[in-house]
Amino acid sequence: MNIKINWKLMILVVFIFSLVIFGYKEYQKNIKYEKYLSQELFNSYSELKVIIFTIKEVLTSLLTSQADSNTKTVLADHLQRTSMLTQELDYYISIFKTKDDEELKNKSSLVTSNFAYFFQQNDANTPLDEDIDKMNSLNEMIETWMDVIINEYPGITNENKYEILYEENKGGDIFIRNHKWKSIITSLDRVSRNYEGVSQN
């Protein structure tokens, strides 16, 4: 009778030990994937912030008549890339099911895509009055976007943006758990809603 009890106990111990090993392996696998996804997200998020500053620079040259023949193409490309990046980041916020997800309306991607189409279809170097109004509206939106970023990253400028982004990621924290990027993307979306109408053609 005692031998049977010992065998049962041994089987139970082996079973529990197997569960612990399996759970640990799954945990390690999840951490590895989380780190990979975090790096991918950080790359997209960083690229988005860099592009926003670049769009502002290009827009300024356009609005101050310092543009060249490639300016509108560069601007259209940057806006289209912004549309793709915001769509990607919006998607990741939505699958996390946080309070940020409830506020998202996915307008940043739509609005920047609309503006990109405008620059693809119109000669921004010889604009009509209504074209200038649209460019001024885009400039206003981008400046407000930059205010959102500067509010979270005091002192960030076009010149030091790479250093500040590097500093944020070098600590080894898992970026996907950081609330700051979700807050910024949600705030950009909130700003974008005000420009949906003017961005349409």
Side-chain angles (χ1 to χ4, degrees), residues 135-148:
M135 286 188 282
N136 280 326
S137 292
L138 172 60
N139 188 56
E140 183 182 277
M141 185 186 84
I142 294 298
E143 285 184 345
T144 310
W145 275 15
M146 288 173 66
D147 288 342
V148 167

Side-chain angles (χ1 to χ4, degrees), residues 36-117:
Y36 166 78
L37 183 57
S38 285
Q39 188 58 53
E40 292 294 304
L41 270 174
F42 179 77
N43 291 342
S44 296
Y45 172 72
S46 299
E47 184 184 354
L48 175 63
K49 284 193 284 189
V50 168
I51 286 179
I52 289 171
F53 278 90
T54 304
I55 288 173
K56 173 58 185 169
E57 209 172 45
V58 177
L59 260 176
T60 299
S61 71
L62 193 59
L63 291 168
T64 55
S65 303
Q66 298 174 20
D68 58 35
S69 57
N70 294 321
T71 301
K72 78 160 192 167
T73 303
V74 170
L75 201 46
D77 289 346
H78 282 323
L79 286 164
Q80 199 58 54
R81 182 61 183 155
T82 299
S83 178
M84 293 170 64
L85 289 168
T86 51
Q87 185 175 46
E88 176 190 345
L89 292 164
D90 282 359
Y91 167 73
Y92 280 113
I93 289 176
S94 71
I95 65 174
F96 297 144
K97 301 299 179 188
T98 65
K99 66 185 181 68
D100 299 290
D101 171 42
E102 297 171 7
E103 296 180 29
L104 271 176
K105 304 296 181 186
N106 306 113
K107 296 301 182 183
S108 294
S109 179
L110 172 65
V111 169
T112 48
S113 180
N114 287 344
F115 277 122
Y117 181 78

